[in-house]
Amino acid sequence: MAGLLPQVTFSILFALSLKPRHGYELMQQIEHDSNGRIKLGPGALYGTIKQLVNDNLIEEMPFADDSKRRKYYRLTKKGWDRLSAELKYFEQTVKLARQRKFLGQAGARI
Amino acid sequence: MKYLKTRFPIYAALLRLYPKSYQKQYNQQILQTLADMLDNSSSNTERKLIWGRTIIDAPLSIIKQQVVYAGDIMTNETPHFVKTTSIFSALLLLPFFIFITFDGLSSHSLYNSWFWHPPVIASWLVFMPAAALLLSLGTFWRWSQQRRRQNQTSFVKTIFQWQYNWPMLAVAVLSAGIIALAFGHDSVHCVVHNPVREIRNWQTTWTCIKQG
């Protein structure tokens, strides 16, 4: 299995798992999903988008919005696989944390 | 795009510092996203925060993309002879850094050793950096000419393409710096058997020697 995705990369893939989005929508969704902890600037956002397109994890949609000013992005098959592998890892980690009584039980530390 | 460029002229000018291919693909999207952010903000404070974030984000992102671009060029476009000579000329500078660092860390223990005496000192302090300088400048010249012929562009333009030239330029600047340091360093006169300082300050050195 490949190494874990960087936080911003994961957040973009996760935000695109609901529906295709353009840049601003992506920013809003990421901010919402992270409870306001991840606030991206346009430069950082498109730098990561470029990397994800190069890695074939997301792709540009063949259509833009009505004014053709905004491009939409969606997950590719490879992107879905990568995201689900990442989520499985998180699921296992949370499961372990519960077993070790770090999480989600009476008397848990977190 | 034109409307966005006139709306954010300074930011649009800043975006021109991205690599050309990146600009073509993403500059419009970046400007549009910034416009969306500002249009959907509800207060002046929020707008100021957005601008603050964008101003910090832009230079970092530009540097990152330029480095990525230079890396891509190094991997995909740089010919073998440029890579080889850049590495070889960089290796010629290695003794200088090793000896200076070791001497500095060991309370000048090399000062009276054969490393600091001619002809050894002259080789690592002058001749090897000079060879590295010539080699890197020669490679720089050859590859610039090659690119000029391939792309039908001007020689001046190829000189300023730092993403292509940085390995040779880095070695050339370092080598020139070492040589300048060697010949310009005059804090210690009368260091017997140090040819560089003796040449540079020959009168002082000669007086020192005469005085014993």
Side-chain angles (χ1 to χ4, degrees):
Chain A
M1 184 188 152
L4 286 177
L5 291 170
Q7 178 82 64
V8 174
T9 310
F10 171 78
S11 302
I12 292 177
L13 293 185
F14 195 53
L16 288 177
S17 62
L18 289 171
K19 62 172 190 175
R21 294 176 195 277
H22 59 70
Y24 178 62
E25 281 182 345
L26 259 175
M27 275 181 167
Q28 281 183 309
Q29 189 63 44
I30 289 168
E31 200 173 329
H32 175 265
D33 291 348
S34 65
N35 286 327
R37 281 191 295 176
I38 302 177
K39 288 182 178 179
L40 294 172
L45 175 74
Y46 283 97
T48 314
I49 285 179
K50 180 192 166 223
Q51 186 60 51
L52 288 170
V53 171
N54 287 348
D55 293 345
N56 199 25
L57 294 174
I58 65 172
E59 64 188 355
E60 212 175 275
M61 298 278 285
F63 63 86
D65 65 349
D66 294 341
S67 59
K68 293 185 177 175
R69 287 202 303 235
R70 297 175 189 83
K71 285 180 185 167
Y72 282 72
Y73 298 92
R74 68 180 169 199
L75 288 177
T76 59
K77 164 87 176 58
K78 194 179 166 192
W80 274 110
D81 292 347
R82 193 73 180 81
L83 180 64
S84 49
E86 197 83 357
L87 289 170
K88 261 181 204 154
Y89 171 80
F90 289 148
E91 193 184 15
Q92 281 170 357
T93 309
V94 170
K95 211 169 149 186
L96 264 179
R98 287 218 168 94
Q99 278 172 11
R100 292 174 191 174
K101 300 189 176 172
F102 291 154
L103 199 66
Q105 287 172 354
R109 286 190 232 168
I110 301 167
Chain B
M1 178 76 168
K2 228 175 190 176
Y3 145 75
L4 290 169
K5 271 185 181 171
T6 45
R7 186 173 167 190
F8 312 117
I10 298 172
Y11 188 61
L14 189 68
L15 296 185
R16 292 182 63 122
L17 296 174
Y18 277 116
K20 282 274 184 294
S21 55
Y22 188 89
Q23 282 183 44
K24 206 173 156 190
Q25 211 168 355
Y26 295 107
N27 271 14
Q28 185 186 342
Q29 296 303 303
I30 292 174
L31 286 171
Q32 184 59 56
T33 302
L34 177 65
D36 288 341
M37 287 164 81
L38 291 169
D39 292 345
N40 288 290
S41 60
S42 51
S43 66
N44 259 339
T45 318
E46 202 180 329
R47 274 188 282 279
K48 279 178 192 163
L49 285 173
I50 288 169
W51 270 115
R53 200 194 313 165
T54 307
I55 285 164
I56 294 168
D57 162 77
L60 295 175
S61 167
I62 288 166
I63 292 168
K64 188 180 171 189
Q65 290 307 322
Q66 287 288 1
V67 170
V68 168
Y69 182 53
D72 285 348
I73 288 171
M74 182 56 109
T75 314
N76 303 318
E77 293 181 47
T78 306
H80 188 65
F81 79 88
V82 175
K83 290 181 193 172
T84 318
T85 46
S86 298
I87 291 169
F88 183 70
S89 49
L91 286 176
L92 287 172
L93 303 181
L94 209 56
F96 169 82
F97 290 106
I98 291 172
F99 294 148
I100 290 289
T101 309
F102 185 79
D103 187 58
L105 292 175
S106 61
S107 314
H108 301 294
S109 64
L110 289 183
Y111 215 67
N112 294 314
S113 73
W114 61 273
F115 287 110
W116 238 258
H117 284 72
V120 179
I121 190 169
S123 64
W124 61 262
L125 195 59
V126 180
F127 298 131
M128 286 165 87
L133 180 64
L134 288 175
L135 206 58
S136 54
L137 288 179
T139 312
F140 172 67
W141 173 265
R142 187 178 156 197
W143 198 35
S144 297
Q145 290 288 1
Q146 202 170 308
R147 292 203 318 274
R148 183 185 63 79
R149 278 194 297 271
Q150 274 169 3
N151 305 330
Q152 300 286 310
T153 180
S154 74
F155 182 63
V156 177
K157 210 171 174 184
T158 60
I159 284 176
F160 288 104
Q161 289 173 327
W162 74 268
Q163 298 95 336
Y164 288 82
N165 300 326
W166 69 267
M168 295 145 285
L169 288 183
V171 174
V173 167
L174 272 177
S175 321
I178 292 170
I179 293 166
L181 187 77
F183 282 95
H185 189 294
D186 59 357
S187 64
V188 183
H189 306 304
C190 196
V191 180
V192 181
H193 300 312
N194 184 332
V196 175
R197 287 172 187 157
E198 285 170 13
I199 291 165
R200 163 81 181 160
N201 303 299
W202 65 272
Q203 283 173 315
T204 322
T205 309
W206 185 241
T207 316
C208 276
I209 291 168
K210 275 202 292 190
Q211 286 170 354

